[in-house]
Amino acid sequence: MQGDIDDYRALFLRGTPLMDTRAPIEFRKGAFPGAINLPLMTDIERQKVGTCYKQQGQEAAIALGHQLVRGQTKAERVEAWAAFARAHPEGSLYCFRGGLRSQIAQQWLRDEAGIAYPRVVGGYKAMRGFLMDTLERAVAECGFVVLGGMTGTGKTDVLRALDHALDLEGHAHHRGSSFGKHATGQPPQIGFENELAIDVLKKREAGHARFVLEDESHAIGSCSVPLGLFQGMQEYPVVWLEDSLENRVERILRDYVVDLCAEFVAIHGEEAGREMFGQRLRESLDNIRRRLGGERHQRLAAIMDAALAGQARGDSVEPHRAWIEELLTGYYDPMYVYQRKLKAARIVFTGDQRAVLDYLRDHARA
């Protein structure tokens, strides 16, 4: 067995399998990509031990912990850890600060299951600090370009074709607009930041010192772009992606109708999935009711309802094009025209997808 781990850089670059022994409530607030929560204590047990620690001190708290986690309960938790360790012999375990919880789990694994397994020195807190420092250093040391363009021009498609792109919407699991929710939820803010920082770490390790980001508002659904990076995005050079209205409608139809419906159906089954997809689409339109105005919202909602009814019958999705086109030309485009004017002095290149890809690939080598 390797010794306990304090090389956080190597840990994340290797994608080391991680066993998180924190309580479930801590894990839900934010974790690392791929980490598995196998807690030493449940949320209630942790609360009881924490209260005991405050009132009676560490020794009494440790004694209470051993009293709460013993017998069959202890055996089941040790076996879960052992199963993880056997499946991931190259992995490691951690708690919040690398203290008692991970030490106890490590000791029980060794004593009860005969498995010597490394723990992360400093635990979650040290790893999280390393990742936030990684992100801050990148903002200070690297070059960035912001990719802008009207809704539906395929900015995400461009990012996915570039080795030096950071897909903020991908990490946030949200497309960034009022219609941007997926069938499954977003990560917590901490999880979003951790995943983004690991992406930066790996790309810098691969030799990239220049990055491309999509032009985003501070909030991507429920996730927020880290403040230092967002502030930089207000000053970075801008590359503007252009495409025809026809192509843009086609992409929106693909992403927000065909693919989103397929997401819901894959998770919830045909009937329930289609119904939930329709509800999501209507809710997304309702979210911008005030900005659309009552009359326009009512008209678009009627077109959408008719298109959804036809889709539910198995008809073509083509009728959705009507509300998509009107929403683009009458609502989104005027906003983007205004934003483009504000960014005009920072726009260093404008072109279609092929031209923009060529420019951004050259940017990576500059």
Side-chain angles (χ1 to χ4, degrees):
M1 181 201 79
Q2 62 175 316
D4 289 343
I5 297 171
D6 60 6
D7 186 348
Y8 312 125
R9 179 183 183 83
L11 184 148
F12 288 117
L13 287 175
R14 288 197 302 261
T16 302
L18 294 170
M19 181 201 304
D20 188 323
T21 65
R22 297 178 300 159
I25 191 172
E26 297 172 282
F27 186 82
R28 287 192 297 271
K29 289 179 180 178
F32 304 114
I36 302 298
N37 188 212
L38 297 173
L40 172 67
M41 294 183 289
T42 65
D43 292 336
I44 293 174
E45 290 164 352
R46 171 178 172 266
Q47 184 179 32
K48 289 179 178 177
V49 169
T51 300
C52 181
Y53 178 84
K54 291 177 182 177
Q55 295 176 348
Q56 301 178 45
Q58 185 182 66
E59 188 174 336
I62 293 173
L64 176 59
H66 282 282
Q67 182 181 344
L68 293 171
V69 185
R70 61 180 178 174
Q72 186 62 27
T73 297
K74 176 181 176 180
E76 289 173 356
R77 291 179 195 177
V78 171
E79 179 50 39
W81 301 335
F84 181 93
R86 294 186 194 107
H88 305 287
E90 76 283 18
S92 186
L93 63 85
Y94 65 89
C95 63
F96 184 67
R97 292 187 179 87
L100 278 173
R101 283 185 288 179
S102 58
Q103 291 172 17
I104 289 170
Q106 187 182 49
Q107 180 182 336
W108 286 359
L109 257 176
R110 183 175 60 249
D111 295 347
E112 306 291 331
I115 298 175
Y117 207 61
R119 65 185 177 88
V120 180
V121 177
Y124 172 84
K125 186 175 182 181
M127 289 188 283
R128 164 78 173 165
F130 168 78
L131 290 179
M132 293 304 94
D133 181 64
T134 295
L135 201 52
E136 291 173 7
R137 284 165 59 90
V139 171
E141 297 170 0
C142 297
F144 292 85
V145 168
V146 172
L147 177 63
M150 300 288 196
T151 299
T153 50
K155 297 184 287 292
T156 299
D157 295 338
V158 168
L159 293 179
R160 288 174 179 167
L162 296 169
D163 292 335
H164 65 305
L166 300 174
D167 185 359
L168 297 175
E169 292 182 1
H171 292 310
H173 195 55
H174 194 284
R175 294 190 179 98
S177 70
S178 301
F179 287 77
K181 288 183 178 179
H182 288 273
T184 51
Q186 292 187 254
Q189 176 67 24
I190 290 172
F192 164 65
E193 292 171 353
N194 288 344
E195 189 171 312
L196 173 60
I198 293 171
D199 189 16
V200 170
L201 177 70
K202 290 182 175 180
K203 285 183 166 66
R204 293 199 72 180
E205 179 68 13
H208 297 293
R210 294 172 175 268
F211 296 102
V212 182
L213 302 157
E214 184 173 344
D215 195 7
E216 302 285 357
S217 61
H218 191 209
I220 306 176
S222 61
C223 295
S224 297
V225 179
L227 183 58
L229 183 60
F230 180 71
Q231 289 173 335
M233 290 168 66
Q234 313 315 303
E235 301 176 358
Y236 298 146
V238 175
V239 170
W240 195 264
L241 178 62
E242 296 183 331
D243 205 350
S244 67
L245 177 61
E246 181 182 2
N247 287 344
R248 292 166 56 212
V249 171
E250 184 66 29
R251 274 192 204 91
I252 297 297
L253 182 68
R254 177 196 70 190
D255 293 344
Y256 293 80
V257 176
V258 177
D259 290 354
L260 184 60
C261 182
E263 284 184 32
F264 275 101
V265 168
I267 296 169
H268 302 286
E270 189 72 27
E271 185 175 349
R274 287 185 177 276
E275 182 177 346
M276 294 172 73
F277 158 71
Q279 290 174 351
R280 171 62 57 77
L281 217 55
R282 294 183 182 99
E283 288 170 2
S284 298
L285 186 65
D286 289 346
N287 287 340
I288 55 174
R289 183 200 305 261
R290 284 180 56 190
R291 285 175 284 174
L292 286 173
E295 182 180 344
R296 181 161 56 173
H297 173 269
Q298 189 174 9
R299 182 175 66 255
L300 291 173
I303 298 171
M304 181 183 285
D305 283 341
L308 285 168
Q311 188 179 359
R313 292 192 301 267
D315 297 343
S316 167
V317 296
E318 292 299 305
H320 283 286
R321 292 181 186 274
W323 68 262
I324 292 172
E325 182 169 341
E326 184 170 345
L327 200 60
L328 287 178
T329 58
Y331 175 70
Y332 282 108
D333 285 3
M335 291 193 298
Y336 276 81
V337 168
Y338 175 71
Q339 290 296 322
R340 193 186 193 283
K341 288 180 180 178
L342 295 179
K343 298 177 174 71
R346 292 193 286 133
I347 296 177
V348 295
F349 186 82
T350 300
D352 62 14
Q353 187 169 117
R354 177 175 294 181
V356 163
L357 276 170
D358 288 343
Y359 179 88
L360 291 174
R361 286 178 177 134
D362 287 341
H363 163 267
R365 295 187 291 267

